[in-house]
């Protein structure tokens, strides 16, 4: 799942770079569109926090489906950054614990279990920030879907993906199925998202 998620992120980054390259600056460009373009550029330089600020400024000018999509994606990217940092710190300890169990090294395994518990406690603020990012992303995608009168592949797909990320597979399965049934992808960006939803559904046996 992590591999397919990273593949999705790389594909979306490539598409955003292409989209930005095809949009030269226009003197008559609206202020909110300019802010969104600036946010897109920041997102491509791995700075989702600053990108989010631009998107939120754009929303103050005009609350649009595009603005809400970008806000949701920025929050999601921030959440993924936090999740990767959590895994970077926690997984090596978990691996060492599993190795100790396989070797029958009970004393070492007990010490590593205590170390893991302490680490989880220290990482609690990071875990909380990840969950807040997911919740904020969900709020933005829901708002975008409302603005689109309940018909937007990007927002609806990401709402389903968020349920999967939160390990709520009971909710994720029908939501992913609905996306696949409801939307014929209209461009490369939508096809990438569509195929990712399809892969998650297959992973759950759907």
């Amino acid at each position: 799942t992590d591999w397919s998620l990273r593949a999705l992120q790389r594909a979306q980054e490539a598409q955003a770079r292409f989209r930005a390259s095809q949009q030269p600056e226009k003197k008559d460009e609206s202020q909110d569109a300019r802010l969104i373009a600036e946010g897109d550029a920041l997102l491509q330089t791995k700075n989702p926090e600053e990108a989010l600020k631009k998107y939120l400024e754009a929303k103050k000018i005009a609350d649009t489906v595009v603005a809400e999509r970008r806000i949701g994606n920025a929050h999601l990217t921030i959440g993924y950054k936090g999740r990767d940092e959590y895994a970077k710190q926690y997984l090596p300890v978990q691996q060492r614990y599993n190795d100790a169990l396989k070797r029958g090294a009970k004393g070492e395994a007990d010490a590593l279990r205590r170390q893991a518990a302490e680490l989880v406690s220290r990482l609690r603020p990071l875990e909380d920030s990840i969950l807040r990012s997911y919740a904020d992303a969900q709020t933005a995608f829901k708002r975008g879907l409302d603005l689109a009168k309940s018909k937007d592949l990007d927002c609806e797909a990401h709402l389903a993906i968020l349920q999967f990320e939160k390990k709520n597979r009971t909710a994720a399965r029908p939501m992913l199925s609905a996306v696949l049934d409801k939307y014929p992808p209209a461009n490369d960006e939508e096809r990438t998202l569509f195929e990712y939803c399809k892969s998650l559904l297959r992973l759950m046996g759907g």
Side-chain angles (χ1 to χ4, degrees), residues 8-43:
L8 172 67
Q9 289 174 303
R10 285 194 296 270
Q12 289 177 327
E13 288 167 1
Q15 289 157 2
R17 285 193 296 272
F18 176 78
R19 189 168 58 240
S21 72
Q22 300 301 304
Q23 296 177 348
E25 185 177 351
K26 300 175 183 177
K27 291 183 180 179
D28 59 348
E29 186 176 41
S30 66
Q31 189 177 358
D32 59 309
R34 178 179 56 78
L35 286 165
I36 285 173
E38 290 174 3
D40 290 347
L42 286 164
L43 201 59

PDB file of all heavy atoms in Angstrom, residues 8-43:
ATOM      1  N   LEU A   8       1.347   7.020  -6.449  1.00  0.00           N
ATOM      2  CA  LEU A   8       0.302   8.025  -6.681  1.00  0.00           C
ATOM      3  C   LEU A   8       0.849   9.425  -6.451  1.00  0.00           C
ATOM      4  O   LEU A   8       0.635  10.331  -7.265  1.00  0.00           O
ATOM      5  CB  LEU A   8      -0.876   7.771  -5.742  1.00  0.00           C
ATOM      6  CG  LEU A   8      -1.963   8.858  -5.723  1.00  0.00           C
ATOM      7  CD1 LEU A   8      -2.702   8.906  -7.053  1.00  0.00           C
ATOM      8  CD2 LEU A   8      -2.935   8.626  -4.579  1.00  0.00           C
ATOM      9  N   GLN A   9       1.586   9.624  -5.363  1.00  0.00           N
ATOM     10  CA  GLN A   9       2.130  10.939  -5.057  1.00  0.00           C
ATOM     11  C   GLN A   9       3.100  11.404  -6.140  1.00  0.00           C
ATOM     12  O   GLN A   9       3.066  12.561  -6.565  1.00  0.00           O
ATOM     13  CB  GLN A   9       2.827  10.916  -3.693  1.00  0.00           C
ATOM     14  CG  GLN A   9       1.856  10.803  -2.516  1.00  0.00           C
ATOM     15  CD  GLN A   9       2.574  10.630  -1.195  1.00  0.00           C
ATOM     16  OE1 GLN A   9       3.360   9.707  -1.013  1.00  0.00           O
ATOM     17  NE2 GLN A   9       2.326  11.533  -0.281  1.00  0.00           N
ATOM     18  N   ARG A  10       3.969  10.492  -6.595  1.00  0.00           N
ATOM     19  CA  ARG A  10       4.925  10.862  -7.636  1.00  0.00           C
ATOM     20  C   ARG A  10       4.206  11.236  -8.934  1.00  0.00           C
ATOM     21  O   ARG A  10       4.581  12.196  -9.608  1.00  0.00           O
ATOM     22  CB  ARG A  10       5.914   9.709  -7.885  1.00  0.00           C
ATOM     23  CG  ARG A  10       6.960   9.558  -6.798  1.00  0.00           C
ATOM     24  CD  ARG A  10       8.088   8.660  -7.276  1.00  0.00           C
ATOM     25  NE  ARG A  10       7.623   7.313  -7.531  1.00  0.00           N
ATOM     26  CZ  ARG A  10       7.593   6.338  -6.631  1.00  0.00           C
ATOM     27  NH1 ARG A  10       8.006   6.574  -5.390  1.00  0.00           N
ATOM     28  NH2 ARG A  10       7.173   5.126  -6.949  1.00  0.00           N
ATOM     29  N   ALA A  11       3.175  10.467  -9.276  1.00  0.00           N
ATOM     30  CA  ALA A  11       2.426  10.766 -10.497  1.00  0.00           C
ATOM     31  C   ALA A  11       1.722  12.116 -10.391  1.00  0.00           C
ATOM     32  O   ALA A  11       1.726  12.914 -11.339  1.00  0.00           O
ATOM     33  CB  ALA A  11       1.410   9.661 -10.773  1.00  0.00           C
ATOM     34  N   GLN A  12       1.130  12.387  -9.229  1.00  0.00           N
ATOM     35  CA  GLN A  12       0.435  13.656  -9.050  1.00  0.00           C
ATOM     36  C   GLN A  12       1.410  14.834  -9.074  1.00  0.00           C
ATOM     37  O   GLN A  12       1.104  15.901  -9.606  1.00  0.00           O
ATOM     38  CB  GLN A  12      -0.356  13.646  -7.741  1.00  0.00           C
ATOM     39  CG  GLN A  12      -1.567  12.721  -7.794  1.00  0.00           C
ATOM     40  CD  GLN A  12      -2.310  12.666  -6.480  1.00  0.00           C
ATOM     41  OE1 GLN A  12      -1.720  12.775  -5.409  1.00  0.00           O
ATOM     42  NE2 GLN A  12      -3.613  12.493  -6.550  1.00  0.00           N
ATOM     43  N   GLU A  13       2.607  14.640  -8.493  1.00  0.00           N
ATOM     44  CA  GLU A  13       3.619  15.694  -8.519  1.00  0.00           C
ATOM     45  C   GLU A  13       4.048  15.986  -9.953  1.00  0.00           C
ATOM     46  O   GLU A  13       4.214  17.144 -10.343  1.00  0.00           O
ATOM     47  CB  GLU A  13       4.824  15.286  -7.665  1.00  0.00           C
ATOM     48  CG  GLU A  13       4.545  15.326  -6.172  1.00  0.00           C
ATOM     49  CD  GLU A  13       5.621  14.632  -5.361  1.00  0.00           C
ATOM     50  OE1 GLU A  13       6.603  14.141  -5.969  1.00  0.00           O
ATOM     51  OE2 GLU A  13       5.487  14.574  -4.133  1.00  0.00           O
ATOM     52  N   ALA A  14       4.247  14.919 -10.732  1.00  0.00           N
ATOM     53  CA  ALA A  14       4.648  15.101 -12.128  1.00  0.00           C
ATOM     54  C   ALA A  14       3.564  15.838 -12.914  1.00  0.00           C
ATOM     55  O   ALA A  14       3.857  16.730 -13.726  1.00  0.00           O
ATOM     56  CB  ALA A  14       4.939  13.749 -12.770  1.00  0.00           C
ATOM     57  N   GLN A  15       2.310  15.479 -12.660  1.00  0.00           N
ATOM     58  CA  GLN A  15       1.209  16.137 -13.359  1.00  0.00           C
ATOM     59  C   GLN A  15       1.096  17.592 -12.952  1.00  0.00           C
ATOM     60  O   GLN A  15       0.812  18.464 -13.784  1.00  0.00           O
ATOM     61  CB  GLN A  15      -0.096  15.388 -13.075  1.00  0.00           C
ATOM     62  CG  GLN A  15      -0.160  14.036 -13.764  1.00  0.00           C
ATOM     63  CD  GLN A  15      -1.113  13.083 -13.084  1.00  0.00           C
ATOM     64  OE1 GLN A  15      -1.767  13.428 -12.106  1.00  0.00           O
ATOM     65  NE2 GLN A  15      -1.188  11.866 -13.591  1.00  0.00           N
ATOM     66  N   ALA A  16       1.330  17.880 -11.664  1.00  0.00           N
ATOM     67  CA  ALA A  16       1.262  19.269 -11.210  1.00  0.00           C
ATOM     68  C   ALA A  16       2.390  20.092 -11.826  1.00  0.00           C
ATOM     69  O   ALA A  16       2.193  21.253 -12.190  1.00  0.00           O
ATOM     70  CB  ALA A  16       1.342  19.326  -9.687  1.00  0.00           C
ATOM     71  N   ARG A  17       3.586  19.494 -11.952  1.00  0.00           N
ATOM     72  CA  ARG A  17       4.681  20.210 -12.601  1.00  0.00           C
ATOM     73  C   ARG A  17       4.342  20.519 -14.053  1.00  0.00           C
ATOM     74  O   ARG A  17       4.603  21.617 -14.544  1.00  0.00           O
ATOM     75  CB  ARG A  17       5.971  19.386 -12.519  1.00  0.00           C
ATOM     76  CG  ARG A  17       6.618  19.377 -11.151  1.00  0.00           C
ATOM     77  CD  ARG A  17       8.022  18.835 -11.218  1.00  0.00           C
ATOM     78  NE  ARG A  17       8.070  17.448 -11.630  1.00  0.00           N
ATOM     79  CZ  ARG A  17       7.981  16.419 -10.801  1.00  0.00           C
ATOM     80  NH1 ARG A  17       7.831  16.636  -9.498  1.00  0.00           N
ATOM     81  NH2 ARG A  17       8.049  15.174 -11.246  1.00  0.00           N
ATOM     82  N   PHE A  18       3.748  19.529 -14.724  1.00  0.00           N
ATOM     83  CA  PHE A  18       3.362  19.747 -16.115  1.00  0.00           C
ATOM     84  C   PHE A  18       2.299  20.837 -16.207  1.00  0.00           C
ATOM     85  O   PHE A  18       2.368  21.722 -17.054  1.00  0.00           O
ATOM     86  CB  PHE A  18       2.837  18.448 -16.720  1.00  0.00           C
ATOM     87  CG  PHE A  18       2.324  18.610 -18.126  1.00  0.00           C
ATOM     88  CD1 PHE A  18       3.196  18.686 -19.200  1.00  0.00           C
ATOM     89  CD2 PHE A  18       0.953  18.696 -18.381  1.00  0.00           C
ATOM     90  CE1 PHE A  18       2.714  18.851 -20.495  1.00  0.00           C
ATOM     91  CE2 PHE A  18       0.475  18.855 -19.668  1.00  0.00           C
ATOM     92  CZ  PHE A  18       1.365  18.926 -20.728  1.00  0.00           C
ATOM     93  N   ARG A  19       1.319  20.780 -15.304  1.00  0.00           N
ATOM     94  CA  ARG A  19       0.238  21.763 -15.308  1.00  0.00           C
ATOM     95  C   ARG A  19       0.800  23.176 -15.100  1.00  0.00           C
ATOM     96  O   ARG A  19       0.410  24.116 -15.777  1.00  0.00           O
ATOM     97  CB  ARG A  19      -0.757  21.422 -14.197  1.00  0.00           C
ATOM     98  CG  ARG A  19      -2.024  22.233 -14.216  1.00  0.00           C
ATOM     99  CD  ARG A  19      -3.055  21.622 -13.279  1.00  0.00           C
ATOM    100  NE  ARG A  19      -2.576  21.530 -11.927  1.00  0.00           N
ATOM    101  CZ  ARG A  19      -2.463  20.393 -11.243  1.00  0.00           C
ATOM    102  NH1 ARG A  19      -2.789  19.246 -11.793  1.00  0.00           N
ATOM    103  NH2 ARG A  19      -2.021  20.391 -10.002  1.00  0.00           N
ATOM    104  N   ALA A  20       1.762  23.276 -14.180  1.00  0.00           N
ATOM    105  CA  ALA A  20       2.361  24.585 -13.918  1.00  0.00           C
ATOM    106  C   ALA A  20       3.140  25.082 -15.123  1.00  0.00           C
ATOM    107  O   ALA A  20       3.119  26.278 -15.446  1.00  0.00           O
ATOM    108  CB  ALA A  20       3.280  24.499 -12.697  1.00  0.00           C
ATOM    109  N   SER A  21       3.823  24.170 -15.815  1.00  0.00           N
ATOM    110  CA  SER A  21       4.614  24.582 -16.980  1.00  0.00           C
ATOM    111  C   SER A  21       3.744  25.032 -18.139  1.00  0.00           C
ATOM    112  O   SER A  21       4.190  25.762 -19.017  1.00  0.00           O
ATOM    113  CB  SER A  21       5.509  23.426 -17.442  1.00  0.00           C
ATOM    114  OG  SER A  21       4.738  22.398 -18.061  1.00  0.00           O
ATOM    115  N   GLN A  22       2.495  24.583 -18.153  1.00  0.00           N
ATOM    116  CA  GLN A  22       1.579  24.947 -19.226  1.00  0.00           C
ATOM    117  C   GLN A  22       0.759  26.189 -18.922  1.00  0.00           C
ATOM    118  O   GLN A  22      -0.101  26.578 -19.703  1.00  0.00           O
ATOM    119  CB  GLN A  22       0.616  23.774 -19.511  1.00  0.00           C
ATOM    120  CG  GLN A  22       1.312  22.495 -19.929  1.00  0.00           C
ATOM    121  CD  GLN A  22       2.136  22.681 -21.179  1.00  0.00           C
ATOM    122  OE1 GLN A  22       1.614  23.103 -22.211  1.00  0.00           O
ATOM    123  NE2 GLN A  22       3.422  22.384 -21.102  1.00  0.00           N
ATOM    124  N   GLN A  23       1.039  26.807 -17.783  1.00  0.00           N
ATOM    125  CA  GLN A  23       0.261  27.980 -17.374  1.00  0.00           C
ATOM    126  C   GLN A  23       1.172  29.178 -17.162  1.00  0.00           C
ATOM    127  O   GLN A  23       1.498  29.523 -16.027  1.00  0.00           O
ATOM    128  CB  GLN A  23      -0.522  27.685 -16.086  1.00  0.00           C
ATOM    129  CG  GLN A  23      -1.572  26.607 -16.267  1.00  0.00           C
ATOM    130  CD  GLN A  23      -2.283  26.283 -14.984  1.00  0.00           C
ATOM    131  OE1 GLN A  23      -1.872  26.679 -13.902  1.00  0.00           O
ATOM    132  NE2 GLN A  23      -3.362  25.544 -15.078  1.00  0.00           N
ATOM    133  N   PRO A  24       1.622  29.824 -18.237  1.00  0.00           N
ATOM    134  CA  PRO A  24       2.453  31.017 -18.072  1.00  0.00           C
ATOM    135  C   PRO A  24       1.681  32.120 -17.364  1.00  0.00           C
ATOM    136  O   PRO A  24       0.453  32.184 -17.425  1.00  0.00           O
ATOM    137  CB  PRO A  24       2.767  31.424 -19.519  1.00  0.00           C
ATOM    138  CG  PRO A  24       1.681  30.807 -20.336  1.00  0.00           C
ATOM    139  CD  PRO A  24       1.299  29.545 -19.640  1.00  0.00           C
ATOM    140  N   GLU A  25       2.432  32.964 -16.691  1.00  0.00           N
ATOM    141  CA  GLU A  25       1.795  34.050 -15.924  1.00  0.00           C
ATOM    142  C   GLU A  25       1.021  34.981 -16.849  1.00  0.00           C
ATOM    143  O   GLU A  25       1.487  35.352 -17.919  1.00  0.00           O
ATOM    144  CB  GLU A  25       2.876  34.846 -15.175  1.00  0.00           C
ATOM    145  CG  GLU A  25       2.295  35.908 -14.276  1.00  0.00           C
ATOM    146  CD  GLU A  25       3.358  36.626 -13.493  1.00  0.00           C
ATOM    147  OE1 GLU A  25       4.515  36.187 -13.514  1.00  0.00           O
ATOM    148  OE2 GLU A  25       3.011  37.644 -12.869  1.00  0.00           O
ATOM    149  N   LYS A  26      -0.181  35.331 -16.433  1.00  0.00           N
ATOM    150  CA  LYS A  26      -1.021  36.231 -17.221  1.00  0.00           C
ATOM    151  C   LYS A  26      -1.279  37.500 -16.424  1.00  0.00           C
ATOM    152  O   LYS A  26      -1.553  37.446 -15.227  1.00  0.00           O
ATOM    153  CB  LYS A  26      -2.358  35.548 -17.552  1.00  0.00           C
ATOM    154  CG  LYS A  26      -2.211  34.273 -18.356  1.00  0.00           C
ATOM    155  CD  LYS A  26      -3.576  33.603 -18.532  1.00  0.00           C
ATOM    156  CE  LYS A  26      -3.454  32.285 -19.270  1.00  0.00           C
ATOM    157  NZ  LYS A  26      -4.744  31.592 -19.375  1.00  0.00           N
ATOM    158  N   LYS A  27      -1.221  38.627 -17.110  1.00  0.00           N
ATOM    159  CA  LYS A  27      -1.427  39.898 -16.422  1.00  0.00           C
ATOM    160  C   LYS A  27      -2.833  40.017 -15.875  1.00  0.00           C
ATOM    161  O   LYS A  27      -3.069  40.670 -14.875  1.00  0.00           O
ATOM    162  CB  LYS A  27      -1.121  41.053 -17.375  1.00  0.00           C
ATOM    163  CG  LYS A  27       0.360  41.160 -17.725  1.00  0.00           C
ATOM    164  CD  LYS A  27       0.639  42.355 -18.611  1.00  0.00           C
ATOM    165  CE  LYS A  27       2.128  42.438 -18.944  1.00  0.00           C
ATOM    166  NZ  LYS A  27       2.427  43.587 -19.828  1.00  0.00           N
ATOM    167  N   ASP A  28      -3.801  39.384 -16.564  1.00  0.00           N
ATOM    168  CA  ASP A  28      -5.185  39.505 -16.139  1.00  0.00           C
ATOM    169  C   ASP A  28      -5.623  38.324 -15.265  1.00  0.00           C
ATOM    170  O   ASP A  28      -6.808  38.139 -15.024  1.00  0.00           O
ATOM    171  CB  ASP A  28      -6.112  39.616 -17.353  1.00  0.00           C
ATOM    172  CG  ASP A  28      -6.005  38.397 -18.281  1.00  0.00           C
ATOM    173  OD1 ASP A  28      -5.059  37.592 -18.091  1.00  0.00           O
ATOM    174  OD2 ASP A  28      -6.863  38.263 -19.165  1.00  0.00           O
ATOM    175  N   GLU A  29      -4.653  37.542 -14.793  1.00  0.00           N
ATOM    176  CA  GLU A  29      -4.986  36.391 -13.957  1.00  0.00           C
ATOM    177  C   GLU A  29      -5.609  36.869 -12.648  1.00  0.00           C
ATOM    178  O   GLU A  29      -5.132  37.829 -12.032  1.00  0.00           O
ATOM    179  CB  GLU A  29      -3.706  35.596 -13.668  1.00  0.00           C
ATOM    180  CG  GLU A  29      -3.943  34.300 -12.927  1.00  0.00           C
ATOM    181  CD  GLU A  29      -2.652  33.523 -12.764  1.00  0.00           C
ATOM    182  OE1 GLU A  29      -1.614  34.132 -12.474  1.00  0.00           O
ATOM    183  OE2 GLU A  29      -2.690  32.293 -12.931  1.00  0.00           O
ATOM    184  N   SER A  30      -6.659  36.195 -12.212  1.00  0.00           N
ATOM    185  CA  SER A  30      -7.311  36.600 -10.980  1.00  0.00           C
ATOM    186  C   SER A  30      -6.382  36.364  -9.797  1.00  0.00           C
ATOM    187  O   SER A  30      -5.481  35.525  -9.837  1.00  0.00           O
ATOM    188  CB  SER A  30      -8.613  35.812 -10.787  1.00  0.00           C
ATOM    189  OG  SER A  30      -8.332  34.437 -10.595  1.00  0.00           O
ATOM    190  N   GLN A  31      -6.624  37.097  -8.725  1.00  0.00           N
ATOM    191  CA  GLN A  31      -5.740  37.013  -7.567  1.00  0.00           C
ATOM    192  C   GLN A  31      -5.783  35.630  -6.929  1.00  0.00           C
ATOM    193  O   GLN A  31      -4.754  35.094  -6.522  1.00  0.00           O
ATOM    194  CB  GLN A  31      -6.121  38.072  -6.537  1.00  0.00           C
ATOM    195  CG  GLN A  31      -5.109  38.203  -5.404  1.00  0.00           C
ATOM    196  CD  GLN A  31      -5.465  39.307  -4.425  1.00  0.00           C
ATOM    197  OE1 GLN A  31      -6.455  40.012  -4.613  1.00  0.00           O
ATOM    198  NE2 GLN A  31      -4.667  39.468  -3.393  1.00  0.00           N
ATOM    199  N   ASP A  32      -6.974  35.035  -6.851  1.00  0.00           N
ATOM    200  CA  ASP A  32      -7.054  33.712  -6.246  1.00  0.00           C
ATOM    201  C   ASP A  32      -6.359  32.662  -7.109  1.00  0.00           C
ATOM    202  O   ASP A  32      -5.686  31.766  -6.592  1.00  0.00           O
ATOM    203  CB  ASP A  32      -8.513  33.308  -5.975  1.00  0.00           C
ATOM    204  CG  ASP A  32      -9.362  33.292  -7.223  1.00  0.00           C
ATOM    205  OD1 ASP A  32      -9.359  34.297  -7.954  1.00  0.00           O
ATOM    206  OD2 ASP A  32     -10.030  32.271  -7.479  1.00  0.00           O
ATOM    207  N   ALA A  33      -6.474  32.791  -8.442  1.00  0.00           N
ATOM    208  CA  ALA A  33      -5.786  31.855  -9.335  1.00  0.00           C
ATOM    209  C   ALA A  33      -4.273  31.992  -9.210  1.00  0.00           C
ATOM    210  O   ALA A  33      -3.537  30.999  -9.243  1.00  0.00           O
ATOM    211  CB  ALA A  33      -6.222  32.077 -10.776  1.00  0.00           C
ATOM    212  N   ARG A  34      -3.801  33.233  -9.047  1.00  0.00           N
ATOM    213  CA  ARG A  34      -2.366  33.457  -8.879  1.00  0.00           C
ATOM    214  C   ARG A  34      -1.875  32.825  -7.586  1.00  0.00           C
ATOM    215  O   ARG A  34      -0.813  32.182  -7.548  1.00  0.00           O
ATOM    216  CB  ARG A  34      -2.074  34.964  -8.881  1.00  0.00           C
ATOM    217  CG  ARG A  34      -0.598  35.301  -8.655  1.00  0.00           C
ATOM    218  CD  ARG A  34      -0.365  36.801  -8.698  1.00  0.00           C
ATOM    219  NE  ARG A  34      -1.184  37.515  -7.739  1.00  0.00           N
ATOM    220  CZ  ARG A  34      -0.917  37.579  -6.429  1.00  0.00           C
ATOM    221  NH1 ARG A  34       0.127  36.938  -5.932  1.00  0.00           N
ATOM    222  NH2 ARG A  34      -1.702  38.256  -5.628  1.00  0.00           N
ATOM    223  N   LEU A  35      -2.646  32.976  -6.521  1.00  0.00           N
ATOM    224  CA  LEU A  35      -2.260  32.379  -5.239  1.00  0.00           C
ATOM    225  C   LEU A  35      -2.236  30.851  -5.319  1.00  0.00           C
ATOM    226  O   LEU A  35      -1.353  30.201  -4.758  1.00  0.00           O
ATOM    227  CB  LEU A  35      -3.228  32.839  -4.147  1.00  0.00           C
ATOM    228  CG  LEU A  35      -3.061  34.287  -3.690  1.00  0.00           C
ATOM    229  CD1 LEU A  35      -4.285  34.737  -2.899  1.00  0.00           C
ATOM    230  CD2 LEU A  35      -1.796  34.439  -2.844  1.00  0.00           C
ATOM    231  N   ILE A  36      -3.209  30.281  -6.022  1.00  0.00           N
ATOM    232  CA  ILE A  36      -3.228  28.820  -6.180  1.00  0.00           C
ATOM    233  C   ILE A  36      -2.004  28.359  -6.970  1.00  0.00           C
ATOM    234  O   ILE A  36      -1.368  27.351  -6.625  1.00  0.00           O
ATOM    235  CB  ILE A  36      -4.538  28.375  -6.848  1.00  0.00           C
ATOM    236  CG1 ILE A  36      -5.693  28.463  -5.836  1.00  0.00           C
ATOM    237  CG2 ILE A  36      -4.423  26.940  -7.384  1.00  0.00           C
ATOM    238  CD1 ILE A  36      -7.063  28.202  -6.405  1.00  0.00           C
ATOM    239  N   ALA A  37      -1.652  29.104  -8.012  1.00  0.00           N
ATOM    240  CA  ALA A  37      -0.459  28.751  -8.792  1.00  0.00           C
ATOM    241  C   ALA A  37       0.799  28.837  -7.931  1.00  0.00           C
ATOM    242  O   ALA A  37       1.695  27.981  -8.024  1.00  0.00           O
ATOM    243  CB  ALA A  37      -0.344  29.668 -10.007  1.00  0.00           C
ATOM    244  N   GLU A  38       0.881  29.846  -7.080  1.00  0.00           N
ATOM    245  CA  GLU A  38       2.027  29.978  -6.176  1.00  0.00           C
ATOM    246  C   GLU A  38       2.058  28.814  -5.183  1.00  0.00           C
ATOM    247  O   GLU A  38       3.120  28.278  -4.864  1.00  0.00           O
ATOM    248  CB  GLU A  38       1.955  31.306  -5.432  1.00  0.00           C
ATOM    249  CG  GLU A  38       2.207  32.517  -6.319  1.00  0.00           C
ATOM    250  CD  GLU A  38       1.982  33.841  -5.591  1.00  0.00           C
ATOM    251  OE1 GLU A  38       1.679  33.801  -4.373  1.00  0.00           O
ATOM    252  OE2 GLU A  38       2.112  34.895  -6.229  1.00  0.00           O
ATOM    253  N   GLY A  39       0.870  28.424  -4.701  1.00  0.00           N
ATOM    254  CA  GLY A  39       0.801  27.275  -3.797  1.00  0.00           C
ATOM    255  C   GLY A  39       1.237  25.996  -4.481  1.00  0.00           C
ATOM    256  O   GLY A  39       1.959  25.175  -3.903  1.00  0.00           O
ATOM    257  N   ASP A  40       0.821  25.825  -5.740  1.00  0.00           N
ATOM    258  CA  ASP A  40       1.229  24.638  -6.496  1.00  0.00           C
ATOM    259  C   ASP A  40       2.749  24.561  -6.617  1.00  0.00           C
ATOM    260  O   ASP A  40       3.345  23.485  -6.480  1.00  0.00           O
ATOM    261  CB  ASP A  40       0.607  24.659  -7.896  1.00  0.00           C
ATOM    262  CG  ASP A  40      -0.898  24.422  -7.878  1.00  0.00           C
ATOM    263  OD1 ASP A  40      -1.427  24.005  -6.833  1.00  0.00           O
ATOM    264  OD2 ASP A  40      -1.536  24.661  -8.924  1.00  0.00           O
ATOM    265  N   ALA A  41       3.371  25.713  -6.887  1.00  0.00           N
ATOM    266  CA  ALA A  41       4.832  25.747  -7.014  1.00  0.00           C
ATOM    267  C   ALA A  41       5.496  25.364  -5.689  1.00  0.00           C
ATOM    268  O   ALA A  41       6.478  24.616  -5.667  1.00  0.00           O
ATOM    269  CB  ALA A  41       5.290  27.128  -7.457  1.00  0.00           C
ATOM    270  N   LEU A  42       4.954  25.852  -4.586  1.00  0.00           N
ATOM    271  CA  LEU A  42       5.498  25.508  -3.268  1.00  0.00           C
ATOM    272  C   LEU A  42       5.320  24.031  -2.958  1.00  0.00           C
ATOM    273  O   LEU A  42       6.193  23.390  -2.367  1.00  0.00           O
ATOM    274  CB  LEU A  42       4.824  26.361  -2.191  1.00  0.00           C
ATOM    275  CG  LEU A  42       5.252  27.824  -2.148  1.00  0.00           C
ATOM    276  CD1 LEU A  42       4.259  28.650  -1.335  1.00  0.00           C
ATOM    277  CD2 LEU A  42       6.656  27.947  -1.562  1.00  0.00           C
ATOM    278  N   LEU A  43       4.183  23.494  -3.359  1.00  0.00           N
ATOM    279  CA  LEU A  43       3.926  22.071  -3.103  1.00  0.00           C
ATOM    280  C   LEU A  43       4.940  21.212  -3.838  1.00  0.00           C
ATOM    281  O   LEU A  43       5.366  20.177  -3.326  1.00  0.00           O
ATOM    282  CB  LEU A  43       2.504  21.717  -3.540  1.00  0.00           C
ATOM    283  CG  LEU A  43       1.878  20.461  -2.917  1.00  0.00           C
ATOM    284  CD1 LEU A  43       1.810  20.572  -1.404  1.00  0.00           C
ATOM    285  CD2 LEU A  43       0.493  20.227  -3.486  1.00  0.00           C
TER     286      LEU A  43
END
